[in-house]
Amino acid sequence: MNVDVLILGGGLAGLSTAYHLGASGAGSRLVVEAKDRVGGTAGSEAHGGFTFDYTGHLLHLHDAHGQALVLDLLKGNLAEHQRRAWIYSHGVHTRYPFQANTRGLPAAVVADCVAGFLETAHRPDAPARRPDFLSWSRATFGAGITRHFMKPYNEKLWRVPLSRLTTEWQGRFVPKPSPAEVVYGALVDQNKLFGYNAGFRYPVRGGIQSLPDALAARLEPGVVRVNARVEAVDLREKVAVVAGLGEVRYERLVNTLPLVDFLDLAAPLPADVKAARRRLRWNTVWNLNLGVARAGVSDKHWVYYPEKRFPFYRVGFPGNFSSALAPAGGSPLYVEVARPGGARVDVPALERAVLRGLRDAEVLRPRDELAVKAWMPIKVGYVVYDFARAPALATIFRHTSALGVESIGRYGAWKYSFMEETILDGKRCAERLLGKSSAAAEENFAPLESPK
Ligand SMILES: Cc1cc2nc3c(=O)[nH]c(=O)nc-3n(C[C@H](O)[C@H](O)[C@H](O)COP(=O)(O)OP(=O)(O)OC[C@H]3O[C@@H](n4cnc5c(N)ncnc54)[C@H](O)[C@@H]3O)c2cc1C
């Protein structure tokens, strides 16, 4: 089989590249997807009458093209919501973001947080040249907020010491309130929506799967092949071995698989690229979905759990995004636990700890019946922004770019990004393949920060 553009992976990045290339653009194009459906991480699974996403997948639309495309794809199937996000610690719920809403916590904790924040406002530290996340958090939010939320929560999520993390990833999504807002939020239940993800859109029916399905439906038949796992890629000969298709020869290659997986399939690779690949780190999100046989388990959208006594860092209630995700009388829940990528996990033991934690946090009642339990782990969940990442990527991409390979999307580009940005990654990749823009222009594009 011969194609002009071979696209590895049928998630949003791969589908968007094929869509933006258009039927007549760069010649023939083929998307090969290992699973039996498109969508990748932005997909959904049905279990016992419930529909589960790979944890919460909410639409934040900031770009004119991205917004117009998504609104058109999901015309008549989108609802708007105002975020209801909370934090549970010291036995109480406080509003997100923690740094602006400490009212209700024990007085000593509130004092610690507010005093520490005010100290940073009055005696700002000189900004470090290459700050690590922990020092940055202490300098930005103070010792109290760092101790009570930023450090424990981010350790649970990233699973690496925070002094090894850079601050590149946090961008605009960690809201910094003013001193007046911190003091006010310590005294009053302020229902002010901080941060740029204060509102979101979500499909009325079908879960987030309806987005990649709608995008795939815009492609001509035969452009996407599912159940077509890439097994090997010879970068020099420009040929990929794909299950069910055999050898596929290509002119240009677009990778959207997790970069580590792609490099493990690709040959030949020089020693410096192999060494750089070994320096890449990620976490796995162990996502347990529950179908609870009780309506209205929570009125919230999601809750963050910074304390060590709970194995999970976040629990979401997607029935409050869309009632179509659950049968009548049921509530869907997603529970997120992070572990270092590649670590062995005793899943039955983890499940017991999660269920115990949910009861301790009073999310589940002792007599609650679980109609469904479905693990949907995300093998590469978040790429770790440690100090080794950027130099390793420079080495890898120098080599792959020289071979004409595009590596894009959240995992192909090995970054922290969200669905709209992923769709735009595909658009810009298509433009480069069509000769309408250059990689240099791409580097000048200021990426949108993640919603979470
Ligand atoms: C926990 C979590 C929560 C998130 N929440 C949000 C949110 O609320 N809002 C938001 O906008 N974004 C969110 N995101 C981000 C969003 O999921 C991504 O931006 C987007 O789905 C990435 O798409 P992609 O195409 O780059 O990668 P993927 O979706 O991972 O696509 C890669 C595809 O490659 C396929 N593949 C893998 N190996 C092979 C192989 N050997 N051969 C063939 N195919 C293969 C996979 O099956 C997959 O379909 C979240 C992500 C995570 C992990």
Side-chain angles (χ1 to χ4, degrees):
M1 191 171 186
N2 291 289
V3 289
D4 292 304
V5 182
L6 176 63
I7 301 167
L8 311 183
L12 288 176
L15 295 174
S16 171
T17 305
Y19 170 77
H20 286 98
L21 278 172
S24 56
S28 58
R29 64 220 199 285
L30 178 69
V31 179
V32 287
E33 165 57 47
K35 290 190 181 170
D36 61 2
R37 55 157 185 83
V38 296
T41 319
S44 317
E45 290 185 16
H47 293 273
F50 290 83
T51 301
F52 298 111
D53 299 341
Y54 289 86
T55 86
H57 264 77
L58 319 165
L59 283 159
H60 307 280
L61 305 173
H62 302 276
D63 171 87
H65 176 79
Q67 171 156 343
L69 177 59
V70 171
L71 294 186
D72 185 43
L73 289 168
L74 294 177
K75 201 161 27 189
N77 188 23
L78 267 185
E80 288 193 52
H81 302 269
Q82 225 177 50
R83 180 186 65 207
R84 300 199 297 271
W86 296 74
I87 292 122
Y88 185 75
S89 62
H90 298 280
V92 287
H93 284 102
T94 51
R95 288 183 195 276
Y96 171 89
F98 182 89
Q99 55 270 31
N101 296 296
T102 51
R103 181 182 177 269
L105 290 167
V109 176
V110 178
D112 205 17
C113 292
V114 175
F117 187 89
L118 295 180
E119 265 174 44
T120 67
H122 292 299
R123 283 190 283 110
D125 290 352
R129 208 167 51 84
R130 270 175 95 212
D132 62 80
F133 182 77
L134 190 59
S135 325
W136 172 84
S137 175
R138 287 190 181 124
T140 308
F141 298 113
I145 290 170
T146 301
R147 184 166 38 249
H148 296 292
F149 183 76
M150 292 292 169
K151 183 167 182 289
Y153 177 75
N154 282 289
E155 279 175 350
K156 262 179 151 180
L157 173 65
W158 296 99
R159 293 282 157 182
V160 292
L162 301 184
S163 55
R164 282 203 224 144
L165 281 190
T166 70
T167 56
E168 300 152 275
W169 56 275
Q170 54 79 22
R172 272 180 297 163
F173 84 91
V174 182
K176 174 148 194 209
S178 68
E181 286 166 336
V182 169
V183 172
Y184 191 69
L187 299 168
V188 176
D189 179 23
Q190 59 176 338
N191 193 6
K192 179 172 173 177
L193 290 164
F194 288 89
Y196 92 123
N197 65 337
F200 61 88
R201 291 179 169 93
Y202 189 80
V204 177
R205 299 171 299 279
I208 202 61
Q209 182 72 48
S210 41
L211 176 61
D213 281 352
L215 192 51
R218 297 276 169 103
L219 301 170
E220 315 84 75
V223 170
V224 180
R225 296 292 290 260
V226 294
N227 296 314
R229 175 175 293 279
V230 186
E231 289 165 348
V233 182
D234 186 325
L235 296 170
R236 209 162 26 206
E237 298 297 323
K238 295 189 165 189
V239 55
V241 178
V242 182
L245 298 179
E247 286 193 351
V248 182
R249 296 191 171 274
Y250 61 83
E251 287 302 316
R252 296 298 305 270
L253 186 68
V254 178
N255 170 57
T256 75
L257 272 47
L259 188 59
V260 287
D261 294 343
F262 172 67
L263 293 173
D264 292 347
L265 296 173
L269 295 180
D272 62 336
V273 173
K274 287 184 184 164
R277 182 258 174 258
R278 286 195 294 273
R279 287 197 292 276
L280 297 179
R281 297 279 173 274
W282 66 95
N283 79 6
T284 295
V285 174
W286 287 88
N287 165 215
L288 177 62
N289 298 286
L290 300 175
V292 185
R294 170 164 61 96
V297 160
S298 174
D299 58 358
K300 301 176 172 55
H301 285 132
W302 62 88
V303 179
Y304 300 93
Y305 292 86
E307 293 174 345
K308 276 212 172 74
R309 66 187 176 116
F310 301 113
F312 35 81
Y313 61 86
R314 188 167 49 192
V315 176
F317 306 95
N320 298 329
F321 314 151
S322 157
S323 58
L325 300 179
S331 295
L333 251 74
Y334 61 82
V335 183
E336 298 174 83
V337 181
R339 289 286 181 269
R344 283 173 67 90
V345 171
D346 178 345
V347 178
L350 182 59
E351 186 171 305
R352 286 193 295 276
V354 164
L355 295 178
R356 207 168 37 240
L358 290 172
R359 286 189 199 102
D360 289 349
E362 294 179 12
V363 173
L364 291 182
R365 295 178 185 160
R367 286 174 190 278
D368 268 336
E369 256 179 61
L370 299 178
V372 172
K373 277 192 267 177
W375 281 99
M376 290 165 48
I378 309 167
K379 196 189 93 178
V380 181
Y382 291 80
V383 312
V384 171
Y385 277 69
D386 59 13
F387 287 97
R389 174 186 163 275
L393 289 184
T395 303
I396 293 165
F397 290 144
R398 203 177 309 120
H399 180 71
T400 52
S401 305
L403 292 163
V405 177
E406 295 271 355
S407 197
I408 65 156
R410 174 168 165 126
Y411 301 110
W414 204 249
K415 61 180 178 175
Y416 185 2
S417 63
F418 59 112
M419 292 183 286
E420 185 191 49
E421 188 184 341
T422 303
I423 291 172
L424 296 175
D425 286 349
K427 174 175 182 279
R428 288 191 299 272
C429 175
E431 287 166 356
R432 287 192 299 277
L433 293 172
L434 293 167
K436 291 186 188 164
S437 78
S438 65
E442 160 92 348
E443 277 160 21
N444 293 332
F445 174 78
L448 296 164
E449 279 76 15
S450 165
K452 306 245 194 86

